[in-house]
Amino acid sequence: MRPLTDDETKVLFEKLTKYIGRNIVHLIDRPDEPYCFRLQKDRVYYVSESIMRKATSVGRHNLISLGTCFGKFTKTGKFRMHITALPLLAQYAKYKVWVKPNGEMPFLYGNHIVKAHIGRVTEDTPEHQGVVIFNMADVPLGFGVSARSTVDMRKVDPTGIVVFHQSDNGEYLREEDALF
Amino acid sequence: MDVSGILQEHKDRFRSVQVDKLVPVDFDLGHLASFDINLLDPGKLKASQKTRDAYLKEISRDGAQLMINELFSLPTVVDDDSVYAQLPKPQTTLPREKPLPKEKAETRWEKFAKIKGIQTRKHSRMVFDEESGEYKPRFGYKSAKNEEMNQWAIPVPDNADPYEDQYAKLRTEKKERVAKNDRRRQRNAEEAMATERGMKPHEMRKSQLQRALVMSKGSTASLGKFDTKLTGEPKIKGVKRKFDPLVGSADKEKSKNMDILNRVNKGEAKASLLNVRKAQRALGTNKQVQAEMNTKGKKQTKRSRK
């Protein structure tokens, strides 16, 4: 376990801004308790200071997970978000997409979202913007990237892809081994 | 018929070529320049932009007029189609545009010749060759020395092996001489580079050799791990990764993260100033709409014609 280097922090923040914009400030500067980012086996964990201090007594090989896993660094140095970061992303998301009940299952099985399944979209969402997916009861389901801007979504036919799938709650089952 | 009125009117349209100045103006006709050292009117200079510009324009016009008057007093050359004034030599020395070229480093021979006081003499290029009875170049192409190799027969020296190819011998000797000269040239260049960097030539050669050694040692499949060590082999120290302490001050970490975030946000803001793709599409749709309008208009006119 170690803190992130400057470069790693930059890559992480660049990725996070795609979903929550400047709201990262609320992750760094929390009123309740100091939180920090820690790297363990290429995975980035968002963890409270006190828990991190306790975890220092666990050896590197024995430490499996701590706090919230945000994602992992690939071997080429890019950052990949994991579904475990969803609660925090959903809390601070700038752009949201709500899917109708008939679209929930297809998305949770790892498919892209087609226009027919969309219930509501944040206005003036740009193209290729990170978005968080909710169902109509406001339960976060996952996140993805908008394939079209809000204006262009109207022109797409019902079977056209509107949001590219990146991660969904189904991964808790499908990728159980690799997730934490 | 009296045309004096018309002539006067024509004359009045142009300014007089006579310009009066308190201090006479200096000229450097070689550069087509005039230097006016008369005092400027501070009141006009501080006035509004318009009057100031007009004032300065007036002064420069006068200067140009005086210079042109002067040009007409120069001796002229008449060509087929025009008359040219002969400009005198420029008086003002202008600064050099490019910096002075760097002094070339001395070669080993030049240093030696300086110490020994050897001076180069001018030789004529052609030398009289007694064998052929004509002048031949001292060296190089078609010189007497080079022609030796092209002779139809070469006498074998007394003590030489009779089966030795004398032609091949001459050729290899020549090649060796050329190679030696090239090595010397390279050495001179290296030494010049070393002195330019403020190092001693042998020091630089040593460091280069060490670098080459390190490179070649690391060029095996095991990155030189199992190679036998040479005596006096330089130890290579790699760069050690350094991380922040795992448990440090939380405030410090927070402020560092904030700094990085600000930098990231700045980059984002710059990138999002203009969404190029969006702008292109907006332009495209506008053009489409316009094109549709145009075609509609044409159709309508066609219909109306029918």
Side-chain angles (χ1 to χ4, degrees):
Chain A
M1 185 169 55
R2 65 168 172 84
L4 305 184
T5 62
D6 284 4
D7 291 339
E8 284 164 346
T9 316
K10 199 175 154 231
V11 172
L12 171 69
F13 284 176
E14 270 167 2
K15 186 62 124 186
L16 279 177
T17 36
K18 289 192 175 130
Y19 299 94
I20 60 178
R22 281 165 196 244
N23 288 337
I24 304 178
V25 180
H26 302 304
L27 292 180
I28 304 168
D29 193 9
R30 280 170 75 121
D32 52 348
E33 208 184 338
Y35 267 67
C36 56
F37 292 98
R38 284 290 178 274
L39 190 88
Q40 156 77 2
K41 285 183 189 165
D42 276 349
R43 263 143 240 266
V44 173
Y45 294 95
Y46 179 62
V47 60
S48 81
E49 183 93 6
S50 60
I51 290 180
M52 187 269 295
R53 277 174 191 275
K54 279 169 192 141
T56 49
S57 58
V58 182
R60 190 186 303 159
H61 294 287
N62 300 328
L63 186 62
I64 293 177
S65 174
L66 77 158
T68 312
C69 180
F70 257 51
K72 67 170 187 180
F73 278 102
T74 62
K75 288 188 176 161
T76 49
K78 288 173 188 148
F79 186 74
R80 180 160 292 179
M81 301 283 293
H82 279 175
I83 187 63
T84 40
L86 182 64
L88 286 158
L89 287 191
Q91 191 183 342
Y92 296 114
K94 263 175 99 181
Y95 298 98
K96 301 177 181 180
V97 172
W98 287 265
V99 292
K100 289 178 193 163
N102 60 349
E104 276 178 41
M105 287 320 276
F107 177 69
L108 289 175
Y109 276 102
N111 296 312
H112 300 308
I113 297 177
V114 292
K115 194 205 168 182
H117 290 153
I118 282 203
R120 212 144 68 87
V121 181
T122 312
E123 253 182 51
D124 47 71
T125 309
E127 200 179 18
H128 305 318
Q129 166 71 44
V131 291
V132 177
I133 319 291
F134 293 82
N135 69 4
M136 294 314 272
D138 261 349
V139 177
L141 300 177
F143 49 86
V145 165
S146 63
R148 307 293 173 109
S149 64
T150 315
V151 186
D152 294 338
M153 278 183 195
R154 295 197 192 106
K155 297 175 197 160
V156 186
D157 60 333
T159 56
I161 293 167
V162 169
V163 179
F164 294 121
H165 167 276
Q166 274 189 332
S167 196
D168 65 78
N169 275 337
E171 278 171 26
Y172 279 110
L173 298 179
R174 298 201 303 271
E175 321 239 324
E176 208 181 342
D177 309 333
L179 208 52
F180 297 105
Chain B
M1 200 171 116
D2 187 21
V3 290
S4 59
I6 301 166
L7 277 176
Q8 190 58 43
E9 197 183 314
H10 185 258
K11 211 176 180 183
D12 287 345
R13 275 202 298 178
F14 300 104
R15 296 251 212 88
S16 155
V17 292
Q18 291 296 326
V19 181
D20 293 325
K21 288 270 181 187
L22 203 65
V23 184
V25 176
D26 287 339
F27 300 102
D28 182 4
L29 289 177
H31 283 310
L32 288 179
S34 61
F35 303 98
D36 187 358
I37 53 167
N38 285 298
L39 279 180
L40 295 171
D41 185 0
K44 276 182 184 169
L45 280 181
K46 278 176 189 162
S48 70
Q49 174 115 26
K50 214 175 172 186
T51 48
R52 187 177 59 203
D53 283 356
Y55 175 57
L56 291 175
K57 222 180 208 173
E58 181 70 17
I59 289 173
S60 44
R61 181 258 162 201
D62 288 350
Q65 180 62 61
L66 280 169
M67 190 190 72
I68 288 161
N69 290 351
E70 204 71 9
L71 282 180
F72 275 96
S73 64
L74 288 173
T76 53
V77 178
V78 183
D79 198 6
D80 288 345
D81 26 69
S82 42
V83 183
Y84 298 100
Q86 277 180 323
L87 295 181
K89 278 199 173 164
Q91 292 161 359
T92 325
T93 39
L94 294 174
R96 185 187 163 92
E97 185 197 8
K98 298 267 190 316
L100 279 172
K102 271 183 196 163
E103 219 165 276
K104 266 189 188 171
E106 278 182 333
T107 61
R108 281 197 176 202
W109 163 252
E110 278 164 358
K111 271 181 212 159
F112 176 74
K114 219 180 199 177
I115 292 165
K116 287 276 177 186
I118 300 167
Q119 281 173 346
T120 48
R121 273 180 295 140
K122 277 257 174 191
H123 285 292
S124 61
R125 186 175 140 65
M126 303 301 265
V127 182
F128 186 72
D129 185 25
E130 281 175 8
E131 249 171 64
S132 58
E134 58 190 44
Y135 280 93
K136 285 192 168 173
R138 190 180 294 275
F139 56 86
Y141 180 60
K142 281 193 172 170
S143 67
K145 193 156 199 181
N146 268 345
E147 292 290 276
E148 254 174 50
M149 276 183 274
N150 302 330
Q151 235 116 67
W152 66 276
I154 300 175
V156 180
D158 281 346
N159 303 329
D161 177 11
Y163 297 104
E164 195 182 22
D165 184 356
Q166 294 300 323
Y167 288 98
K169 197 180 159 195
L170 280 177
R171 239 176 285 138
T172 50
E173 271 171 9
K174 162 114 190 169
K175 259 188 191 165
E176 274 163 16
R177 280 200 304 275
V178 170
K180 187 182 173 188
N181 190 31
D182 199 50
R183 277 202 303 279
R184 294 260 158 109
R185 185 191 55 75
Q186 211 150 5
R187 188 178 65 184
N188 277 326
E190 275 170 16
E191 284 177 0
M193 195 156 72
T195 44
E196 197 179 307
R197 285 185 196 170
M199 287 166 85
K200 281 181 180 159
H202 69 271
E203 271 174 10
M204 189 159 142
R205 214 168 302 140
K206 194 176 170 188
S207 70
Q208 273 178 350
L209 192 67
Q210 280 188 343
R211 214 175 302 142
L213 183 72
V214 169
M215 291 283 273
S216 65
K217 282 221 124 185
S219 310
T220 62
S222 56
L223 301 177
K225 197 177 178 185
F226 303 110
D227 287 12
T228 46
K229 291 269 182 296
L230 302 172
T231 47
E233 187 183 319
K235 268 189 187 170
I236 323 141
K237 277 184 188 168
V239 183
K240 273 209 171 177
R241 296 193 303 171
K242 252 195 177 175
F243 298 119
D244 293 343
L246 174 58
V247 184
S249 137
D251 286 339
K252 221 175 179 182
E253 199 175 327
K254 196 202 278 177
S255 65
K256 199 176 149 191
N257 279 346
M258 282 301 213
D259 273 356
I260 295 170
L261 180 62
N262 283 337
R263 251 182 287 151
V264 169
N265 279 340
K266 244 183 212 169
E268 290 282 310
K270 244 183 207 171
S272 63
L273 263 181
L274 178 68
N275 189 338
V276 177
R277 205 174 292 180
K278 210 172 175 182
Q280 276 175 345
R281 193 172 305 141
L283 261 177
T285 46
N286 267 345
K287 272 182 189 167
Q288 274 180 9
V289 170
Q290 275 184 352
E292 276 170 24
M293 296 277 274
N294 285 342
T295 48
K296 267 182 193 169
K298 273 176 193 169
K299 272 175 196 167
Q300 275 173 356
T301 48
K302 269 178 193 171
R303 258 177 229 150
S304 60
R305 267 178 208 162
K306 277 172 189 175

